[in-house]
Amino acid sequence: MTGGGLLVAGTTSDAGKSVVTAGICRWLVRQGVKVAPFKGQNMSLNSFVTREGAEIGRAQAMQAQAARAEPSALMNPVLLKPGSDRSSQVVLMGKPVGELSARGYHGGRQAALLDTVVGCLEELRATHDAVICEGAGSPAEINLRRTDIVNMGLARAARLPVLVVGDIDRGGVFASFFGTTALLAPEDQELLAGYLVNKFRGDVSLLEPGLDMLKSLTGRDTYGVLPFQHGLGIDEEDGLRVSLRGSVRESVVAPPVGEDVLRVAVCAVPLMSNFTDVDALAAEPGVVVRFVDRAEELVDADLVVVPGTRGTVKALEWLRERGLADALARRAAEGRPVLGICGGFQLLGETIEDEVESRAGVVDGLGLLPVRVRFEAEKTLSRPVGEALGEYVEGYEIHHGVAEVLGGESFLDGCRVGSVWGTHWHGSLESDGFRRAFLRAVSDAAGRRFVPAPDTSFEALREEQLDRLGDLIERHADTDALWRLIEGGAPAGLPFVPPGAPGTP
C-alpha cells in the first residue's frame, strides 16, 4: 500500500516551506506516523552527507531528523550547487554528474529527471505512512512550468495535494495566495487544496474576515495561521538568518560562565557553503558570532572562521581585494586564532592547483598552513570520525580539493600551526566535548577569561527546535484537515480560478 503525501509549496522563496515541512514531519512522528521528508530538486550551497555517502541538502537532513528518520539520497534526488550566477553543479542521487548552465538545465535536462524524482518519491511512499514534500520557489513561476519537477509538475505526476504557505509578515499575502492560484492551469488548480498563513502577528480574529473572503474567491480553505515566533528555523538553503544560529541569537540565552565573552568573526566569502558549521559556536553561552566582510571587523575578534565555499579561488581573490588576507596574515603572526573549514582550509595553504572548480591552474594560497591543495574531478563525500584535543569528533566531508599536509600538528585530517587550524571536516563543532576543548584553546590564545558552559548539548538544542516546530503545527494548524489531505488527497470539486496559466481556458 502506498503511503499518503502532501506537497508544501510557497507563494515565494523563503515563505516558510522548509520549516513548515519540518514541523509537519515532527507533528506526525509524535503521533506514531512513519513519515519521511522529500524535495525533488533543491538549490543550495548548504549540504550534508548521508551514511551511504550521498550529498543532499541540509534542509532535508534536518527534516529527516524532525521525522526521526535516517537521511537518504531518496529524500533529495536532485541538488543544484551554484558556482556562479549562471551555472550550477548538478548532484544526482547524491553524486555530482557535471556542471550545467541555467539555460541548459531548464532547457531539457530538468524535465528528463522527472521520472527519477517521481520514482524516489514512490519508493519512499512504499515504505512510509506519509511523505511530506517541499516545493521550491513558487509553483506559479509560469516561465518554468513546462520543465518543473519540484512543484506542480511533481504534484500532478504523483497526484499530491498542495498546501501553499504565505509569509504574512512581508505583506500582500492575500494577493499572493489568490495570484498563485489564478496563474495555475486548471489541472494544477485541481490539486491546490488550500493555504497556510505563516508569521502572523496580533489578534487572529482580525485576520478571519480576509480568510473568509479568500475562501469565497477561491473556494479553498486556510489550514492554519502560524504565529510569528522569534528564533524558529532549521538549516535552510542559503539565507544567513535561517539556521539554529539565528534562533540562538534571537532567543534569551544564559550569560557567560566565565568573566568574558568570546567574539567570533566569520568571513562572508563568495559562494559560502555550510556556514551552519558555526551554529554550534553560537549555541554556547557567551559566544558572539557575526559575519564580516571588512578587514577592520577582524580586529576585535577572538576567533576568525574562514568557512566553506563553492569557489575557493574566487574567495581567495575576494579576501585579497578587501584586505582580509593581510588581516588574516597579521593574526597568524600575532598568534591570534584562525580556523579554516573545507574551502577556508584550502585557501589558508601554500598553493592551490585547480583545473576543476575555477580552472585557474596553480595559484598561491595565503601560506598560513603547510598544505598544498590539488582539485580532483571526483568529489570526496564521507562521514569521518576521529579525535582532536583529546576529544571524540564526528564530521562530514564534501570537497573536490585534496590536501597534501606537509607539516604542522595533525588536526582532523588537516593541520594546526600555532593558533591557525585547518580541516576539511564540516560539523565537527557539533561534537560537544571537542567544541568545549577548542573554545578553551581559543580563549587561552586570545587571552580571554572565557569558560565554556559544561552542559551545552547541541543535539538537545536542535531537538528542542524541532519540537517547537512540531508544536507550532499542532497548536495552530487544522491537523485533522491536514491528515485528511495527506491520506485522501485534494478535495474533489475545487473551483477553477480564472484566468489560469497563459494559453489555458
Side-chain angles (χ1 to χ4, degrees):
M1 180 180 175
T2 299
L6 175 69
L7 175 65
V8 179
T11 55
T12 62
S13 296
D14 200 26
K17 297 182 293 290
S18 293
V19 294
V20 168
T21 301
I24 293 174
C25 285
R26 178 48 61 100
W27 160 64
L28 285 173
V29 78
R30 293 194 307 205
Q31 309 308 307
V33 176
K34 186 179 182 183
V35 59
F38 180 81
K39 186 162 186 173
Q41 172 197 294
N42 199 349
M43 178 174 280
S44 179
L45 288 172
N46 287 335
S47 57
F48 180 76
V49 179
T50 68
R51 295 201 181 278
E52 68 265 29
E55 184 179 8
I56 66 172
R58 274 196 68 96
Q60 280 62 65
M62 292 301 99
Q63 288 163 354
Q65 184 170 351
R68 298 184 182 135
E70 185 65 34
S72 161
L74 291 172
M75 297 173 180
N76 181 205
V78 182
L79 173 64
L80 306 178
K81 302 193 73 174
S84 70
D85 290 341
R86 298 194 173 191
S87 68
S88 295
Q89 182 181 67
V90 181
V91 179
L92 179 62
M93 295 304 295
K95 304 296 180 184
V97 295
E99 295 273 340
L100 275 180
S101 67
R103 179 175 292 276
Y105 184 67
H106 291 288
R109 181 62 186 270
Q110 183 181 32
L113 294 173
L114 181 60
D115 287 346
T116 299
V117 169
V118 173
C120 290
L121 172 58
E122 292 308 314
E123 192 170 338
L124 286 173
R125 292 179 77 176
T127 54
H128 292 79
D129 301 322
V131 178
I132 309 304
C133 308
E134 179 187 344
S138 161
E141 290 168 346
I142 53 179
N143 56 315
L144 303 177
R145 175 62 184 89
R146 182 178 60 84
T147 56
D148 172 47
I149 64 173
V150 67
N151 290 311
M152 301 312 300
L154 175 65
R156 200 189 296 187
R159 303 308 300 171
L160 291 170
V162 178
L163 182 71
V164 178
V165 178
D167 181 354
I168 197 170
D169 197 50
R170 294 181 171 191
V173 75
F174 292 115
S176 297
F177 283 145
F178 182 85
T180 296
T181 309
L183 277 177
L184 299 182
E187 297 85 355
D188 290 344
Q189 288 194 27
E190 289 175 4
L191 297 170
L192 199 163
Y195 315 107
L196 186 74
V197 177
N198 192 26
K199 297 185 183 178
F200 178 72
R201 303 173 190 251
D203 185 347
V204 176
S205 67
L206 298 176
L207 188 66
E208 288 171 350
L211 300 178
D212 292 339
M213 285 186 274
L214 183 66
K215 172 69 179 287
S216 68
L217 287 166
T218 67
R220 288 158 174 84
D221 291 323
T222 297
Y223 285 74
V225 178
L226 308 184
F228 186 98
Q229 290 190 11
H230 284 287
L232 282 181
I234 62 169
D235 297 357
E236 284 202 60
E237 296 179 358
D238 293 314
L240 285 180
R241 64 185 179 82
V242 282
S243 64
L244 184 57
R245 175 192 63 259
S247 73
V248 172
R249 280 177 153 182
E250 295 176 0
S251 310
V252 176
V253 295
V257 175
E259 296 180 47
D260 288 342
V261 299
L262 209 62
R263 296 172 176 84
V264 179
V266 184
C267 296
V269 296
L271 298 172
M272 182 164 47
S273 61
N274 288 70
F275 53 79
T276 48
D277 283 330
V278 299
D279 284 1
L281 295 179
E284 288 284 349
V287 176
V288 179
V289 176
R290 68 183 190 273
F291 287 81
V292 305
D293 59 5
R294 297 182 300 179
E296 56 267 30
E297 294 178 291
L298 304 189
V299 174
D300 67 344
D302 302 306
L303 168 67
V304 173
V305 177
V306 188
T309 171
R310 173 83 164 87
T312 301
V313 171
K314 182 181 289 188
L316 189 57
E317 294 170 352
W318 182 86
L319 289 169
R320 286 179 168 138
E321 289 169 358
R322 290 175 171 264
L324 288 159
D326 290 339
L328 289 169
R330 286 194 296 272
R331 288 187 67 87
E334 296 166 359
R336 302 177 67 201
V338 175
L339 170 65
I341 302 173
C342 200
F345 163 45
Q346 294 167 2
L347 59 80
L348 294 179
E350 296 172 357
T351 59
I352 299 168
E353 182 182 345
D354 182 12
E355 299 292 350
V356 175
E357 193 175 77
S358 68
R359 296 181 174 84
V362 178
V363 299
D364 291 333
L366 297 186
L368 305 185
L369 289 174
V371 174
R372 293 174 186 164
V373 175
R374 184 184 69 259
F375 275 67
E376 300 284 1
E378 184 174 350
K379 181 184 282 190
T380 297
L381 296 169
S382 66
R383 291 276 292 269
V385 297
E387 184 177 300
L389 303 179
E391 299 287 345
Y392 174 78
V393 190
E394 296 182 4
Y396 57 99
E397 294 187 61
I398 306 170
H399 54 91
H400 284 281
V402 176
E404 180 186 4
V405 178
L406 304 173
E409 177 185 343
S410 179
F411 175 73
L412 298 180
D413 293 340
C415 66
R416 171 188 180 181
V417 174
S419 290
V420 180
W421 291 266
T423 177
H424 272 132
W425 292 23
H426 294 290
S428 63
L429 294 166
E430 295 180 19
S431 297
D432 296 329
F434 166 70
R435 182 180 65 254
R436 287 190 274 270
F438 178 72
L439 288 174
R440 283 192 290 269
V442 168
S443 177
D444 290 345
R448 292 287 185 187
R449 291 168 295 183
F450 170 84
V451 178
D455 55 357
T456 300
S457 167
F458 187 74
E459 181 71 13
L461 286 172
R462 188 152 53 191
E463 278 295 304
E464 178 185 320
Q465 186 79 336
L466 295 171
D467 276 331
R468 290 180 65 200
L469 294 176
D471 291 344
L472 201 66
I473 297 298
E474 188 169 341
R475 295 170 185 171
H476 301 284
D478 185 342
T479 52
D480 288 340
L482 276 180
W483 180 246
R484 287 194 296 272
L485 274 187
I486 293 166
E487 193 174 39
L494 292 169
F496 172 68
V497 179
T504 64

